[in-house]
Amino acid sequence: MPEITENLWEPPQKEDKYALGGDVSEGLPHGDASVLEVISCSTGRQVYECYGAIPPFELAERAYLVGTYYNNALCAIENNKDGGCNRALFEMGYRSIYFQKDDRSKAYEEYTPKLGFNTNVRSRFKIIT
């Protein structure tokens, strides 16, 4: 099985806020890699990265530890499949999780009860910008 790579470039700063984003794979050695990224909200710099063949529930455990370490970072993990990683993270007691918004070209967006972030045609532009 391919190894898991972690890079910690900057430790958390006491006064800073952080955002933790993730993309979940199935954790298979021949498939895509799972990834967690942490960004400093004050500087915009990437401070942490983890990637590899990490199954969804193991990724949730890592997100819990990393998110807690980075001042309870707001965590937005992609929920395109079954959302199991986000659900596991929530069941572990982590509460700083992004809730998906309903974006249907209304004058405003509404949060939904669905944990995580859905990548689709509408949201991809927001991610990139």
Side-chain angles (χ1 to χ4, degrees):
M1 178 172 273
E3 70 179 61
I4 297 168
T5 303
E6 286 188 279
N7 295 298
L8 191 153
W9 293 288
E10 294 179 21
Q13 301 302 307
K14 190 174 184 178
E15 68 285 347
D16 205 353
K17 293 184 181 184
Y18 295 89
L20 188 159
D23 186 1
V24 184
S25 73
E26 294 177 1
L28 303 174
H30 61 278
D32 291 340
S34 292
V35 65
L36 293 175
E37 306 277 348
V38 179
I39 305 293
S40 163
C41 293
S42 65
T43 66
R45 287 194 308 257
Q46 180 180 357
V47 296
Y48 173 86
E49 176 181 70
C50 171
Y51 63 92
I54 308 167
F57 297 112
E58 184 181 328
L59 191 70
E61 291 172 345
R62 287 175 179 269
Y64 183 94
L65 294 172
V66 171
T68 301
Y69 179 68
Y70 279 99
N71 303 340
N72 296 312
L74 176 61
C75 185
I77 296 176
E78 187 176 54
N79 64 16
N80 284 23
K81 295 198 181 203
D82 66 354
C85 182
N86 287 292
R87 194 169 45 256
L89 185 59
F90 188 79
E91 288 172 1
M92 284 184 246
Y94 199 83
R95 293 298 181 257
S96 186
I97 303 176
Y98 178 85
F99 279 80
Q100 181 176 320
K101 289 183 178 182
D102 184 8
D103 181 7
R104 299 185 188 197
S105 301
K106 296 179 183 177
Y108 58 91
E109 295 177 2
E110 299 172 342
Y111 284 99
T112 69
K114 190 170 183 180
L115 294 164
F117 186 84
N118 187 270
T119 304
N120 56 48
V121 174
R122 289 186 187 145
S123 65
R124 186 172 304 278
F125 176 75
K126 292 179 183 181
I127 296 168
I128 294 169
T129 57

